[in-house]
Amino acid sequence: MVKLKVNRLIISALKMSNSSHQHSHDHATDQHDHKHNHDHSHIPNNKKILTISFILITIFMVAEFVGGYMTNSLALISDAGHMLSDSVALGIALFAVFLGEKASNARKSFGYQRFEILAAAINGITLVAISIYIFVEAILRLQTPEDIHVQGMLIIATLGLLINIIVAWMMFRGSDTEHDLNMRGAFLHVLSDLLGSVGAIIAALCIYFFAWQWADTVASVLVALLVLRSGWSVVKQSTHVLMQGTPERFNVAEIQAQIMANDRILDVHDLHIWSLSSKRYILSCHIVVDDQMTMQNVQSLLHEVEQSLQAIGIEHVTIQTETRNHQHAELDF
């Protein structure tokens, strides 16, 4: 069949031209030699920042929980619980960075980088769980108000704020919180905890100056709302990636039009774009070419299409060639 012949010719040509072309479609042999120009410049910083942040947050989490218990402050206890989730989140994120650096193998042909998305999903779910816990505790506290040792609450909340500011600043300046979903999830944990400390401070001041005991509970609820919003955002984004949804930065119709702009391509179908991790994108599609195209022309066309797609950030491209008369034809062996 024409389709089978075209594909065999393409494979043969690519094998013969492997020594003269820097990049070929034989991804199994050369994909990991040049890494498709992956940007790993942030990985060492991510690892260092996550390690320091994990240590600082874990140490202060214990101190804040003890302080919240001693001062009887729900705001501090809930913030300590949130810092516990921060500590777990940072630990998971750190593990994801280490695991993501492992080389691919026969059973994990794309490596372990997708664990970054799993880590982000876990972090998002813990944020949602913590916010629900705070809501429940706030309702119980409103029903049975308790005395609060405001001075101790204020001191501990202030220290917590300083720790979170330091960690958030390090993560924002020294790691990739914009494009790396794993780092963004960890960063949102720290930011929401920072807001928790701010809420605890405001509540402590309200209790100290105006004797508003309910301020502690109200501050907890407001922080819980912010935590819920952040957590849901991370869960939604990570789920989209795990479901192999089209990345937000790409428009399928526009990419299809870009491919069709080549006058040697008659049609494009079965076009799929998905994410392997936060910054690695994959595309597969079928293109229809004229039955009379030579082997050299098909090879040249594939290189052109692949390079144009890599130029917009899609590093791994798989293209199936077909002819007009043999689209989706089944191959008999």
Side-chain angles (χ1 to χ4, degrees):
M1 299 176 72
V2 175
K3 176 181 174 182
L4 178 58
K5 290 180 180 179
V6 170
N7 288 333
R8 285 178 174 172
L9 289 173
I10 293 169
I11 293 173
S12 299
L14 290 174
K15 288 182 177 178
M16 290 187 294
S17 63
N18 188 47
S19 59
S20 60
H21 290 280
Q22 183 179 1
H23 178 74
S24 76
H25 279 270
D26 188 8
H27 291 291
T29 58
D30 75 343
Q31 179 183 359
H32 296 287
D33 291 336
H34 54 73
K35 302 289 185 183
H36 291 286
N37 297 320
H38 298 171
D39 181 11
H40 294 294
S41 59
H42 283 288
I43 284 181
N45 282 341
N46 286 352
K47 188 189 302 181
K48 179 180 178 180
I49 294 300
L50 283 172
T51 302
I52 297 173
S53 302
F54 174 74
I55 294 172
L56 289 176
I57 291 294
T58 302
I59 291 174
F60 192 78
M61 176 268 296
V62 175
E64 187 171 41
F65 180 81
V66 172
Y69 179 79
M70 294 177 63
T71 60
N72 201 28
S73 169
L74 175 60
L76 282 184
I77 293 175
S78 62
D79 195 40
H82 187 210
M83 290 194 82
L84 173 61
S85 75
D86 285 348
S87 179
V88 173
L90 291 170
I92 293 173
L94 183 59
F95 179 68
V97 172
F98 278 103
L99 191 62
E101 292 178 335
K102 291 184 63 176
S104 60
N105 53 50
R107 293 181 61 85
K108 301 287 189 299
S109 60
F110 280 108
Y112 294 81
Q113 295 186 45
R114 178 154 279 200
F115 187 81
E116 165 207 320
I117 307 301
L118 290 174
I122 293 171
N123 285 342
I125 291 171
T126 58
L127 281 170
V128 173
I130 287 294
S131 64
I132 294 174
Y133 166 78
I134 296 173
F135 285 134
V136 173
E137 287 297 314
I139 293 172
L140 295 175
R141 181 62 65 92
L142 284 174
Q143 294 175 346
T144 57
E146 300 180 15
D147 292 331
I148 298 171
H149 302 287
V150 66
Q151 291 87 352
M153 174 185 173
L154 183 58
I155 293 172
I156 296 171
T158 302
L159 290 175
L161 176 62
L162 292 175
I163 293 294
N164 282 300
I165 288 175
I166 292 171
V167 173
W169 182 82
M170 288 192 306
M171 295 181 73
F172 181 74
R173 294 297 299 270
S175 63
D176 187 7
T177 57
E178 181 179 357
H179 303 101
D180 192 316
L181 188 57
N182 181 37
M183 287 300 301
R184 191 188 311 169
F187 180 62
L188 287 175
H189 263 274
V190 175
L191 277 186
S192 57
D193 196 39
L194 187 153
L195 293 174
S197 297
V198 172
I201 291 173
I202 294 174
L205 292 174
C206 289
I207 296 171
Y208 183 79
F209 288 107
F210 306 107
W212 293 348
Q213 299 293 327
W214 49 263
D216 181 65
T217 303
V218 172
S220 300
V221 171
L222 292 176
V223 171
L225 289 172
L226 295 173
V227 171
L228 180 62
R229 182 177 182 275
S230 298
W232 177 249
S233 174
V234 174
V235 170
K236 183 179 178 181
Q237 292 178 55
S238 57
T239 301
H240 185 72
V241 174
L242 292 174
M243 293 295 293
Q244 294 186 313
T246 303
E248 293 183 0
R249 62 176 291 187
F250 299 116
N251 183 296
V252 173
E254 291 178 358
I255 291 179
Q256 187 167 4
Q258 175 182 326
I259 297 174
M260 284 293 297
N262 192 308
D263 55 11
R264 291 181 291 177
I265 297 177
L266 305 178
D267 189 26
V268 179
H269 57 88
D270 289 339
L271 176 63
H272 304 283
I273 310 171
W274 68 97
S275 305
L276 177 63
S277 63
S278 299
K279 295 176 288 186
R280 294 189 63 189
Y281 306 105
I282 301 173
L283 178 145
S284 68
C285 70
H286 290 205
I287 62 173
V288 180
V289 298
D290 189 88
D291 298 71
Q292 305 303 317
M293 282 191 69
T294 64
M295 173 184 65
Q296 291 81 2
N297 286 338
V298 171
Q299 178 185 350
S300 173
L301 175 62
L302 290 174
H303 278 292
E304 286 181 20
V305 175
E306 182 178 19
Q307 289 173 1
S308 70
L309 293 172
Q310 288 178 346
I312 62 173
I314 303 174
E315 66 172 62
H316 191 103
V317 179
T318 301
I319 302 173
Q320 171 71 50
T321 57
E322 300 174 350
T323 59
R324 178 69 77 182
N325 295 327
H326 297 86
Q327 294 184 40
H328 295 293
E330 294 184 1
L331 303 181
D332 297 322
F333 294 95

